[in-house]
Amino acid sequence: MDADMESTGVRRLLTGAVLRSVGRAADMGVLELAGGQGEDLALHIQCAFRVLHDGQVLLGSRDMTYARGGTEPDAFDTLYDDRAALLSRVLGGARPQVETVLQGPAGALTLEASRGFRVDVLPDRSGTEESWRAFTRGGQHYGYPPGLV
């Protein structure tokens, strides 16, 4: 699939989706969404990212490196895990809908959602490894770099 078709596919897939929850699988960020027809969508993020509300960072990928409450970090006992759990509860109640999907240079991806929510994905490596992937469970996958997914 060429880059233009992939870009169009990402916008079509994510525009109108509802942000449901945020979590992780090891060191990969996982954003769960519900599509317009109720389908399960996901954004798997393997690079720098952040979730904002009204311009304030609520959750960032680097939060995975900070221990909860100043203790020694454990694989799944980090600041990220605390904030992701809280943010998921907030998203479940607020049900923000993705209004705009912006794609920038070098794989940058921004989801602007209702109620002041925003997700910024910022690929930060020079190699050809996958930085992010947006998909319908059991369906089409799109990602960066294009054609790699």
Side-chain angles (χ1 to χ4, degrees):
M1 178 180 310
D2 73 21
D4 288 337
M5 286 179 60
E6 192 147 337
S7 179
T8 300
V10 169
R11 284 193 309 277
R12 189 177 320 115
L13 178 68
L14 298 176
T15 301
V18 172
L19 303 177
R20 251 186 354 207
S21 67
V22 63
R24 68 177 171 137
D27 62 351
M28 177 178 70
V30 176
L31 182 65
E32 300 283 338
L33 306 97
Q37 305 302 314
E39 64 274 27
D40 289 330
L41 308 178
L43 178 61
H44 287 179
I45 311 166
Q46 300 176 63
C47 61
F49 70 95
R50 62 190 185 174
V51 179
L52 300 95
H53 182 257
D54 291 337
Q56 179 181 353
V57 177
L58 301 178
L59 181 71
S61 52
R62 293 234 5 234
D63 291 338
M64 289 183 210
T65 64
Y66 294 101
R68 172 187 309 188
T71 62
E72 285 298 313
D74 183 280
F76 288 96
D77 190 20
T78 67
L79 182 62
Y80 183 93
D81 301 301
D82 278 350
R83 291 193 176 170
L86 176 59
L87 180 55
S88 291
R89 288 191 297 275
V90 169
L91 293 173
R95 299 187 45 80
Q97 187 172 27
V98 177
E99 296 173 336
T100 307
V101 177
L102 305 169
Q103 292 177 273
L109 178 69
T110 297
L111 309 181
E112 294 179 343
S114 61
R115 301 182 183 262
F117 288 93
R118 176 184 173 118
V119 178
D120 291 324
V121 179
L122 307 159
D124 59 351
R125 47 183 167 242
S126 60
T128 57
E129 296 87 8
E130 181 179 318
S131 292
W132 58 264
R133 172 186 301 233
F135 60 95
T136 304
R137 299 220 184 271
Q140 186 66 45
H141 289 227
Y142 305 96
Y144 183 82
L148 183 65
V149 174

